[in-house]
Amino acid sequence: MSEILRLDRVSRHFSGLQALREVTLAVNKGEVLGLIGPNGAGKTTLVNTVCGVTPASAGTITFAGQDITRIKTYQAARLGLSRTFQIVQPFAEFTALDNVAAAALFSQGHENVKTAREEARAHLSFVGLEAQAAQPAANLTLAMRKRLELAKALAMKPKLLFLDEVNAGLNSAEVERATKLIHELAASGITIVMIEHLMKVVLNVCSRIVVLHNGRLIADGTPREVINNPAVVEAYLGQQYAQRSAAR
Amino acid sequence: MSRANLALIVLIGLIATLPLFGGAYALRLGTMACMYAIFALSWNVVGGFAGYPSFATAAFFGFGAYASGVLLGAGLPLWLAVIVSGVAALIAAGALGAALLRLRGHYFAIASLSLVEVLRELVNNATDLTGGGMGLNIPLAAGSGIMADALFFFYAMWILMLATALTVMWVAGSKLGFGLACIRQNETAASMVGLNTTLYKSLAFALSACFVASAGGIYAAWVHYIDPSDVFDILYSVKPIVMTLIGGLGSPLGALCGALVYLGLEEVVWRNYIQIHTGVLGLLIVMLLLFLPHGLVSLRLARLFGKAKHV
Ligand SMILES: Nc1ncnc2c1ncn2[C@@H]1O[C@H](COP(=O)(O)OP(=O)(O)O)[C@@H](O)[C@H]1O
Ligand SMILES: [Mg+2]
């Protein structure tokens, strides 16, 4: 399998806080990689570092054979790196359609807004938002805004797509719907890195899982290997299990 | 063309008929109106479209006035001096914008404000070129009588206003305008979809500078004499913001209406309350903004929605 993204001993700190510690990780073309770990482990930071939002303090990042360690966010987007935000970031006053049109317009080098809107329509209907096309993004429900994020990301024709907790805050029917969409995306050949707390979803869609804990990569393997890894159970799964039984 | 843009063009057309109705005083007011409209339309690009509260208008205006003043003194024809000033401001503001627009909110506002102070000090100290605090005399243009002069400068300013309005309308409907709206709403998300935010913000800043600088050039030739405290007056930075807020943030039609209303208020209040006119003017502006927070352009919309509800 060929590599599409490689992180080589990537670190990132925020003043005193070490959010990523020498993370070395390869993502293969066409796989769905699960990225899990407790809150504050550095998962979102990893995405931000790859996308140029918070550049790495040390280490190198290679995407499709190109060194992108010092790349600007908008350049990363044009190379085919796209992501959804854990905390949704719509253009609130724009309609759903224009939100997606913006993604198509600026990542694909369209010359005018009109052709971008035409293209945007297809992505909106893929995520099931065609009925909301003319509504301002601010009026959409959380589940719809999450799907809007996805449509925006898709309009950028990504080679590599980061999904940052797309299911957080959704009810089980909505989660099921989102999971189906992710399956379809994976089938279409997009490489996906998925940050997710719902182990059911992770085990359902991911072919490989990596675990981040305190900014360090502590496990990397098949779903079966990872869930049986004592270090992972100790750092993350055990805690999740405890939370679930406490809730009962 | 959208209805608001059509209304904008019609209004500009109506302003052009002013000489049919008024004398020298009306023409002086008309020239000021066109100048204010240029300020408000220009400020709207960076302040309204991109959401960056710039206080640099006075810097651009003073820069244009002095650049044109010096060029006119060197014997350049007015039209060329005005164009050169505008282009120079476009380039300089574009370059500066890349640095200044890294700052957001209040920080950007203060940095843009200090641009006015920096330029004023530069002009004050470059005595050989600008005459420093003594001011700069500008050779008379054409000059074949008071009425002919008034008419000439009115139409010069009017043409520049038309050019500004056409440019701003084009920006609003273009990819650039769309991108600026993205930046205003969510700059992080904008860069994440592949928008080069630095470039777009610089373009907005440059466009908000060039017509104001050209207006400064026409102004300098019109009044024959400029000094730093006149053309680098902070009020030139504040007024377009107030005008745009009165008219409706982000709307070119609103910017023009706001400029006209503001000038009207300024004139009426100045004539009737000469002692306390700034106080009364300030009070009126506060009232307007309190009762019409979305500006004059919201009036029409409000009425439309009101009707729809009753049907
Ligand atoms: N921009 C930032 N500035 C300062 N600290 C940050 C920033 N982004 C993340 N952090 C810190 O880095 C750590 C990892 O955060 P994050 O990557 O969001 O975790 P996760 O997504 O795994 O829950 C947290 O302690 C967080 O407070
Ligand atoms: Mg996170």
Side-chain angles (χ1 to χ4, degrees):
Chain A
M1 249 195 283
S2 70
E3 228 169 69
I4 185 161
L5 178 74
R6 172 162 206 94
L7 281 74
D8 196 14
R9 289 193 288 153
V10 170
S11 297
R12 167 75 208 196
H13 57 83
F14 297 107
S15 46
L17 186 111
Q18 195 77 30
L20 292 176
R21 300 167 201 251
E22 306 215 324
V23 173
T24 295
L25 170 68
V27 179
N28 299 312
K29 211 171 258 176
E31 77 177 333
V32 181
L33 176 68
L35 173 56
I36 64 174
N39 280 326
K43 305 182 295 293
T44 300
T45 304
L46 190 142
V47 176
N48 283 336
T49 300
V50 173
C51 293
V53 180
T54 54
S57 322
T60 54
I61 305 173
T62 319
F63 177 68
Q66 184 181 346
D67 184 346
I68 60 160
T69 316
R70 292 272 157 269
I71 204 168
K72 296 231 167 58
T73 308
Y74 78 91
Q75 293 167 326
R78 290 178 190 180
L79 283 179
L81 273 161
S82 89
R83 60 93 62 93
T84 66
F85 286 93
Q86 178 175 2
I87 297 160
V88 290
Q89 304 263 9
F91 301 117
E93 299 161 25
F94 273 1
T95 61
L97 185 68
D98 277 358
N99 265 275
V100 183
L105 184 63
F106 297 110
S107 64
Q108 302 300 306
H110 280 282
E111 273 319 303
N112 67 62
V113 185
K114 202 161 151 263
T115 57
R117 281 197 184 115
E118 281 159 19
E119 198 181 303
R121 222 166 262 288
H123 296 291
L124 265 189
S125 58
F126 177 76
V127 302
L129 283 178
E130 64 270 63
Q132 283 75 28
Q135 278 192 31
N139 294 357
L140 302 181
T141 64
L142 177 67
M144 286 176 180
R145 274 187 247 176
K146 294 245 170 181
R147 276 187 272 144
L148 182 63
E149 281 282 303
L150 192 59
K152 271 163 89 177
L154 293 178
M156 294 163 63
K157 306 250 169 72
K159 296 194 181 82
L160 176 57
L161 174 61
F162 289 99
L163 300 174
D164 197 351
E165 305 204 11
V166 280
N167 290 317
L170 302 193
N171 66 35
S172 60
E174 290 161 349
V175 168
E176 205 155 300
R177 175 169 196 168
T179 308
K180 201 169 141 256
L181 283 179
I182 295 165
H183 268 298
E184 281 173 45
L185 290 181
S188 76
I190 301 176
T191 310
I192 297 176
V193 175
M194 181 177 185
I195 298 176
E196 182 56 72
H197 279 300
L198 298 170
M199 283 312 289
K200 197 179 89 178
V201 177
V202 177
L203 296 175
N204 181 338
V205 294
C206 297
S207 46
R208 189 180 134 215
I209 297 176
V210 294
V211 186
L212 213 52
H213 180 51
N214 285 338
R216 209 184 288 283
L217 210 61
I218 59 167
D220 181 344
T222 64
R224 179 179 294 276
E225 286 162 12
V226 167
I227 57 172
N228 292 321
N229 182 326
V232 177
V233 173
E234 162 98 23
Y236 180 56
L237 295 176
Q239 172 201 345
Q240 268 217 331
Y241 179 76
Q243 268 170 13
R244 227 177 309 135
S245 33
R248 261 187 220 136
Chain B
M1 199 188 286
S2 81
R3 226 191 282 167
N5 282 349
L6 201 63
L8 181 64
I9 291 298
V10 168
L11 199 53
I12 289 176
L14 286 177
I15 294 174
T17 65
L18 181 73
L20 298 177
F21 309 109
Y25 168 72
L27 283 182
R28 192 190 70 80
L29 266 190
T31 310
M32 288 301 287
C34 293
M35 193 171 97
Y36 278 4
I38 293 166
F39 289 179
L41 286 165
S42 298
W43 183 84
N44 196 37
V45 173
V46 67
F49 295 170
Y52 274 77
S54 163
F55 281 81
T57 309
F60 305 145
F61 183 69
F63 170 83
Y66 267 96
S68 292
V70 169
L71 290 172
L72 288 171
L76 249 64
L78 178 62
W79 65 270
L80 190 56
V82 164
I83 290 176
V84 169
S85 305
V87 171
L90 184 86
I91 294 167
L96 260 177
L100 280 186
L101 291 151
R102 284 175 197 284
L103 303 168
R104 296 192 188 182
H106 310 310
Y107 296 99
F108 170 71
I110 288 169
S112 64
L113 188 64
S114 54
L115 197 58
V116 183
E117 302 299 325
V118 169
L119 279 183
R120 187 195 330 203
E121 281 313 302
L122 280 178
V123 167
N124 256 327
N125 289 310
T127 325
D128 290 344
L129 197 60
T130 64
M134 296 291 292
L136 185 64
N137 280 304
I138 287 124
L140 296 181
S144 51
I146 292 178
M147 238 356 238
D149 254 18
L151 211 56
F152 172 80
F153 283 110
F154 170 73
Y155 277 116
M157 210 59 106
W158 181 86
I159 289 169
L160 188 60
M161 169 178 70
L162 180 65
T164 313
L166 291 176
T167 307
V168 169
M169 270 164 43
W170 168 78
V171 169
S174 71
K175 183 174 175 179
L176 173 60
F178 196 78
L180 294 178
C182 290
I183 291 174
R184 182 188 69 235
Q185 294 172 70
N186 191 330
E187 196 163 336
T188 316
S191 58
M192 202 61 75
V193 296
L195 197 163
N196 184 347
T197 51
T198 310
L199 174 69
Y200 272 52
K201 289 188 293 185
S202 291
L203 286 174
F205 202 53
L207 284 172
S208 80
C210 70
F211 295 106
V212 172
S214 291
I218 296 176
Y219 174 85
W222 182 36
V223 299
H224 306 314
Y225 168 83
I226 52 176
D227 69 47
S229 60
D230 171 22
V231 294
F232 289 107
D233 186 346
I234 288 297
L235 276 179
Y236 287 128
S237 292
V238 177
K239 284 176 183 178
I241 302 177
V242 174
M243 295 170 198
T244 312
L245 290 176
I246 291 177
L249 197 62
S251 151
L253 176 62
L256 178 63
C257 294
L260 297 180
V261 167
Y262 182 88
L263 181 68
L265 283 178
E266 202 176 52
E267 199 61 22
V268 168
V269 169
W270 187 81
R271 276 212 251 165
N272 294 317
Y273 305 95
I274 193 149
Q275 305 286 338
I276 49 164
H277 70 279
T278 39
V280 175
L281 187 59
L283 203 65
L284 277 175
I285 289 165
V286 169
M287 303 274 275
L288 257 177
L289 295 181
L290 270 180
F291 292 110
L292 256 186
H294 299 291
L296 295 168
V297 286
S298 65
L299 273 180
R300 190 180 46 96
L301 288 177
R303 187 132 34 86
L304 272 182
F305 286 129
K307 258 190 206 148
K309 247 180 241 162
H310 294 300
V311 173

